[in-house]
Amino acid sequence: MPRSFRFAWFGFLAIVFAAAAGCARSPSTGPDGAKRPVVGVSLMNLSSEFIVMIDKAMRARAEELGVELVVNDAQRSPERQVQQVESFIAQGVDAIVLNPCEVEASAPAVDKAVAAGVPIVNVNSETKSAPTAFVGSRDEESARLAMEYIARRLGGKGNVVMMHGYMGQAAQLKRDAGAREALAKTPGLRLLAEQTAEWDRAKAVALMENWLQLHGDRIDAVFAQNDEMAMGAVLALEQAKKKDRVIVVGVDAIADALEAVKQSRLDATVFQDAQGQGRRAIETALKIVRKEPFDQETWIPFQLVTKENVAEFAK
């Protein structure tokens, strides 16, 4: 074998072995030299302010507890989410935190983790397949709080339109169920129209504009299944100079929504504790890794936010 060829061959082998070594995650150590647990995180969509809040809470808690996070954005794709979980398993992470895109389509990600013996914690949203643990809030409760507020404001009579989130995602399904339960208890409230705006503010503006053209002054209230859509509805109503006669309620209590409630632009929102969910998800994952007792389900309550109590949440 010519000398130049031997050098090229050995160089090629070195690259191959280096690449192979890179596929397995090398143990990370903390200041005390102890191995840091590694947790893979697949988030539904980091273009959502609420999901960003969960992400920040998880990162902060992980830093406090000496946990290394590997965070991926699924960009609303359950298929990408399954691939991300497969990658986490191949990397040998100690646990996975999944913020599912959809109830059905994200379930294989849970199945793969369970089959591989890797603990998986679902945060904020549920899947058809059962994870090792779940941390979140009861989405039916948020819709009931919103609809009950609307019913009180309207004296139990009026026409409501409902903006759905991303269809098939757990929050959309359960907020729909909770809203319908509340409507059934108030016969004077009528669901005039409903459609998805996919949790998106710009799409909600367009949807609200369309509804105003179709239904005009028959709309008395808007229930948007998240604050991004609620703010879109507010913008469209303000542009049409109709906000003063239409009640708008959202869910999540993001910063924009809280400010809008303070300014009386948005009538109410329902606080969902993103910080609590993110922190508890990391705490639960770490307990499982350390084989400590843990809660298989952690439910964090929703709270209605109006102008009367918004100062408590704006802090």
Side-chain angles (χ1 to χ4, degrees):
M1 184 183 295
R3 181 172 180 162
S4 61
F5 183 81
R6 285 202 306 271
F7 283 140
W9 175 248
F10 288 134
F12 171 75
L13 288 177
I15 292 170
V16 170
F17 287 130
C23 292
R25 175 165 293 278
S26 56
S28 170
T29 57
D32 58 356
K35 178 181 177 296
R36 296 180 66 182
V38 179
V39 176
V41 179
S42 176
L43 293 171
M44 179 196 308
N45 180 24
L46 277 171
S47 67
S48 161
E49 183 177 338
F50 184 77
I51 302 303
V52 169
M53 290 162 65
I54 289 179
D55 178 42
K56 287 181 178 178
M58 287 196 294
R59 290 179 188 272
R61 191 59 175 143
E63 184 65 27
E64 292 167 1
L65 295 174
V67 174
E68 179 182 348
L69 292 190
V70 182
V71 180
N72 288 174
D73 181 1
Q75 300 174 348
R76 285 187 178 170
S77 167
E79 294 78 18
R80 185 177 288 116
Q81 206 153 47
V82 173
Q83 293 168 0
Q84 289 170 353
V85 168
E86 288 175 334
S87 177
F88 291 148
I89 294 168
Q91 291 175 47
V93 299
D94 297 295
I96 296 169
V97 172
L98 180 71
N99 169 224
C101 294
E102 294 182 22
V103 173
E104 297 273 353
S106 294
V110 174
D111 294 334
K112 288 178 181 293
V114 171
V118 180
I120 183 163
V121 179
N122 280 9
V123 64
N124 177 253
S125 189
E126 298 166 76
T127 51
K128 182 179 178 181
S129 298
T132 315
F134 173 81
V135 176
S137 301
R138 298 187 188 277
D139 282 297
E140 302 95 330
E141 179 189 6
S142 67
R144 284 197 299 268
L145 289 170
M147 279 298 189
E148 287 167 0
Y149 172 82
I150 288 171
R152 288 195 299 274
R153 287 286 306 274
L154 293 178
K157 295 180 180 180
N159 294 319
V160 182
V161 293
M162 178 162 59
M163 291 186 175
H164 288 264
Y166 197 72
M167 302 302 283
Q169 199 261 329
Q172 178 269 321
L173 293 169
K174 297 200 169 192
R175 289 176 191 176
D176 177 53
R180 291 179 191 280
E181 181 185 324
L183 284 168
K185 293 178 180 177
T186 314
L189 283 187
R190 177 191 171 204
L191 186 60
L192 184 64
E194 57 180 317
Q195 191 173 322
T196 181
E198 298 184 342
W199 309 121
D200 187 84
R201 190 175 304 201
K203 291 180 181 178
V205 170
L207 177 57
M208 193 71 233
E209 289 173 343
N210 185 48
W211 278 341
L212 286 171
Q213 288 180 356
L214 289 173
H215 305 293
D217 291 339
R218 289 192 294 155
I219 300 172
D220 298 306
V222 180
F223 169 49
Q225 292 183 358
N226 81 339
D227 282 338
E228 291 289 349
M229 297 187 296
M231 292 305 300
V234 167
L235 289 170
L237 287 162
E238 288 175 340
Q239 288 165 8
K241 301 189 185 307
K242 293 181 182 294
K243 177 61 192 75
D244 59 343
R245 65 167 309 279
V246 180
I247 296 163
V248 182
V249 183
V251 178
D252 287 340
I254 63 174
D256 279 0
L258 292 173
E259 185 60 30
V261 171
K262 284 171 64 178
Q263 296 173 359
S264 300
R265 295 176 61 223
L266 180 66
D267 295 272
T269 181
V270 182
F271 175 72
Q272 182 175 198
D273 191 352
Q275 184 177 36
Q277 290 183 15
R279 291 175 69 86
R280 290 294 291 273
I282 295 303
E283 292 165 4
T284 301
L286 185 58
K287 285 180 179 179
I288 297 169
V289 170
R290 291 176 172 172
K291 302 191 184 307
E292 297 173 357
F294 67 94
D295 293 325
Q296 288 188 314
E297 292 184 341
T298 301
W299 298 102
I300 300 172
F302 283 98
Q303 299 175 69
L304 182 69
V305 182
T306 64
K307 191 164 186 179
E308 286 68 38
N309 66 347
V310 67
E312 300 171 27
F313 297 89
K315 295 175 184 178

